[in-house]
Amino acid sequence: MTRLSNDPAAFADEALEGFAAAHPRRVRQVPGGVVRATRTAPGQVAVVVGGGSGHYPAFSGLVGQGLAHGAAVGNVFASPSAHQVRQVARAAETGGGVLLAYGNYAGDVLHFGQAAALLTAEGIPTRTLGVTDDMSSASADEAHKRRGVAGDLIVFKTAAAAAEAGQPLDEVTRIAELANARTRSFGVAFSGCTLPGAGSPLFTVPEGRMAVGLGIHGEPGMGERPVPTADEAAELLVATVLGELPDGVASPRGQRAAVILNGLGSVKYEELFVVYRRVAQLLAEAGVEAVDPEVGELVTSFDMAGVSLTLCWLTDELEPLWTAPADAPAYRKGTVEAADLFVPDPSAGAVPSAEAAEKTVPPATDDSRAAARTVLAALRVLKDTVGVHAEELGRIDAVAGDGDHGIGMQRGSTGAYEAAVRAETLGAGAETVLHRAADAWADRAGGTSGALWGVMLRAVGTALGDTERPTAQAVAAGVAQAAADVMELGKAEVGDKTMVDVLVPFSYALMAATEAGQPLATAWDAAAHSATAAAEATADLLPRMGRARPHAEKSLGTPDAGAHSLALIVRAVHGVFVPTLENH
């Protein structure tokens, strides 16, 4: 378990601060993550990687010459927000454009995609790539749905070496896509991991059994089988990875491959070497030549006892990029000529901080400021409700996911409330209060839920405005727009076992009641009943989206955590509404 921490909610921030302090000649901390401490050649493509904390050396430990130019670092097992990704990319880029590379998880896809759109709109050409090497998370026919695990390193390394060699953005992106298409990973675990501050692991494996097909966020495996010997584990890993060859590779014999035997946290190096001894024998027997193999902890999951095998089937183009020198805090290869340290010019292109931007608010009418006080009260109730149910939400999420929904909702709702307090104190109207809350929620929570709650609060805020006295119909219209925006961003539909299964019926019921002339408090109460029933009904659904999808059968009988939390929240805030928001 994770024994040394202070406030669990501050764990990721404190870990990043300590990491940067320990490696001042290789990385420097910037808002949202870290970038190289050394100078990068002007016009070089910036390869910016990232994901949640809890996977060191990924992602911050892979920043340095010959490897990533920057890493956006989210909270524990939660993707960084679009704002964090954008800040890191802006700090890392030198005029050649940006490649954003990350594991193919829903939250990362949302936030890195949003960041790419923002950067491109600012005049910084940006491409994205989600790594999809995990064979256990989807079939070969749906490889685009696979998640990224230890294969992240190979894709990041080859792309960064291409950038270092002066290749333009489109070429760097093509090479990253080629490496991704030729990389396969498979893993096993003997116990789950325990998040900082938690009293129990996210999943357990019965004595004498191991989980097969694990993820790196504490998700349970795809199946179980008896604990093997080291040689038997090696045979399972090699047979599985060799069992699916990429297009263009007819047989393993005569092939050269980058090989990673990765420890996930508490399988020690000597154990890994015992396993790799047999892996090397089996690959040689199959006619595969291992090129610069890596054995160690490269993409971890706190204290998970697990091991994974990754192969990238090299081409003449990929091999020199894989073997090229690199010098990052957690990954060094060959000899790199040290570049000069970069000394930031605080007056050059300074971007106003979030704190500075928050010191002013747009003008608002008295009616809207009164509505803002009601909004603030609702956000306080929301935060308190999440706090009471955080442990329950984590438990539900851990049945088939990574168990971080409770702590993510806590971070997001707390950040949203604090931002709303600051805005309301300055005299902001309802729209501005909700927009500030939306941005803070997305930034503090990260992950899929952070992005979606940010979208929801922003949509409702836009509907209320800063000038008019909000009506019940305006609130209902805002919720309807929130539902549409969430489905557009997250691509989920009713029946996919997500928060959409609650948001849509809640929106329909609220709109129908307000159109019938009911005041907001009465309409909201009826809609909240619909939300509660809809959340309970998700227990009978199989997930078709998100991290729970690979473990669909495990979630049957348990409601979706995001749907359940939304239903709890809309029920709790019902009592807040007062005549400020009523339609008379």
Side-chain angles (χ1 to χ4, degrees):
M1 61 181 295
T2 307
R3 294 174 176 86
L4 294 174
S5 64
N6 297 310
D7 177 1
F11 182 88
D13 292 338
E14 292 180 348
L16 187 65
E17 182 181 350
F19 164 75
H23 298 284
R25 294 196 60 81
R26 291 184 174 85
V27 300
R28 60 186 176 92
Q29 190 169 3
V30 297
V34 293
V35 297
R36 292 184 186 181
T38 52
R39 290 189 178 278
T40 298
Q44 186 176 121
V45 173
V47 177
V48 174
V49 304
S53 297
H55 306 302
Y56 191 85
F59 295 88
S60 55
L62 305 180
V63 173
Q65 290 180 253
L67 238 168
H69 296 74
V73 182
N75 282 302
V76 174
F77 290 178
S79 66
S81 69
H83 180 57
Q84 289 174 298
V85 175
R86 174 171 166 263
Q87 288 177 303
V88 172
R90 291 180 65 165
E93 71 93 21
T94 60
V98 176
L99 171 63
L100 301 176
Y102 48 88
N104 189 42
Y105 296 87
D108 295 290
V109 172
L110 292 180
H111 287 290
F112 279 87
Q114 288 176 319
L118 291 169
L119 290 164
T120 300
E122 293 171 6
I124 301 173
T126 304
R127 307 286 188 271
T128 64
L129 175 70
V131 181
T132 55
D133 59 304
D134 180 21
M135 298 170 64
S136 67
S137 55
S139 68
D141 293 337
E142 293 188 307
H144 64 284
K145 294 183 178 180
R146 288 177 170 174
R147 55 198 176 189
V149 286
D152 286 353
L153 172 61
I154 295 173
V155 176
F156 298 167
K157 173 68 173 63
T158 51
E164 203 85 46
Q167 296 282 3
L169 179 59
D170 286 344
E171 275 298 289
V172 171
T173 304
R174 182 188 63 79
I175 286 166
E177 291 170 345
L178 176 64
N180 184 49
R182 298 178 71 87
T183 302
R184 302 289 187 274
S185 296
F186 184 75
V188 298
F190 312 100
S191 68
C193 63
T194 305
L195 299 183
S200 60
L202 292 177
F203 74 91
T204 58
V205 182
E207 188 70 26
R209 307 282 291 177
M210 73 173 179
V212 178
L214 70 151
I216 58 169
H217 294 95
E219 306 99 324
M222 305 303 297
E224 288 181 6
R225 63 176 61 189
V227 171
T229 64
D231 282 1
E232 289 169 344
E235 289 159 8
L236 171 64
L237 294 171
V238 172
T240 304
V241 174
L242 293 188
E244 182 187 304
L245 302 177
D247 291 342
V249 179
S251 166
R253 190 157 299 279
Q255 297 295 323
R256 295 168 65 80
V259 181
I260 296 174
L261 186 68
N262 178 60
L264 279 121
S266 62
V267 174
K268 305 314 298 176
Y269 275 68
E270 286 87 349
E271 295 175 90
L272 293 173
F273 290 135
V274 172
V275 175
Y276 189 73
R277 158 193 155 276
R278 183 59 177 151
V279 167
Q281 293 171 355
L282 292 166
L283 291 177
E285 290 171 6
V288 179
E289 183 172 349
V291 178
D292 275 10
E294 297 286 348
V295 179
E297 294 182 349
L298 296 160
V299 180
T300 64
S301 185
F302 280 114
D303 58 332
M304 181 185 286
V307 59
S308 65
L309 177 66
T310 300
L311 263 67
C312 175
W313 302 94
L314 296 171
T315 65
D316 291 342
E317 182 178 35
L318 291 176
E319 183 169 339
L321 301 174
W322 169 241
T323 60
D327 184 25
Y331 186 89
R332 299 170 195 173
K333 179 180 286 189
T335 301
V336 173
E337 183 178 347
D340 294 336
L341 289 178
F342 176 79
V343 180
D345 180 357
S347 65
V351 179
S353 67
E355 292 78 6
E358 281 189 348
K359 290 181 179 177
T360 60
V361 296
T365 63
D366 288 343
D367 281 342
S368 189
R369 283 194 291 268
R373 292 191 288 273
T374 302
V375 167
L376 185 61
L379 290 171
R380 182 179 64 250
V381 170
L382 187 162
K383 173 183 70 70
D384 293 345
T385 301
V386 168
V388 169
H389 295 278
E391 185 174 347
E392 173 196 8
L393 295 174
R395 177 187 58 77
I396 293 172
D397 190 36
V399 170
D402 57 13
D404 72 339
H405 186 68
I407 192 169
M409 290 290 288
Q410 274 189 303
R411 285 192 297 251
S413 60
T414 299
Y417 176 68
E418 290 172 350
V421 168
R422 292 190 292 270
E424 193 275 335
T425 300
L426 293 171
E431 178 178 13
T432 298
V433 166
L434 277 166
H435 282 188
R436 298 281 174 90
D439 292 343
W441 191 311
D443 204 31
R444 286 280 291 276
T448 306
S449 67
L452 298 182
W453 272 94
V455 163
M456 286 194 291
L457 295 182
R458 178 165 286 275
V460 175
T462 299
L464 299 187
D466 275 338
T467 59
E468 303 296 326
R469 181 185 185 188
T471 65
Q473 287 91 342
V475 174
V479 172
Q481 187 60 53
D485 290 349
V486 163
M487 288 190 288
E488 172 63 26
L489 181 62
K491 308 305 179 186
E493 299 176 354
V494 172
D496 285 344
K497 196 166 186 171
T498 71
M499 67 187 304
V500 168
D501 290 300
V502 168
L503 183 56
V504 168
F506 174 75
S507 172
Y508 285 167
L510 186 64
M511 182 65 76
T514 55
E515 287 180 346
Q518 294 182 15
L520 181 62
T522 305
W524 192 280
D525 182 50
H529 279 93
S530 297
T532 300
E536 292 172 352
T538 62
D540 298 326
L541 299 175
L542 291 174
R544 299 194 294 238
M545 302 284 290
R547 290 182 192 163
R549 180 188 52 79
H551 312 280
E553 296 295 336
K554 291 179 181 292
S555 77
L556 195 62
T558 302
D560 176 70
H564 184 59
S565 62
L566 177 57
L568 289 172
I569 287 166
V570 297
R571 164 54 57 206
V573 302
H574 162 252
V576 169
F577 298 117
V578 292
T580 304
L581 291 180
E582 294 294 358
N583 181 24
H584 294 294

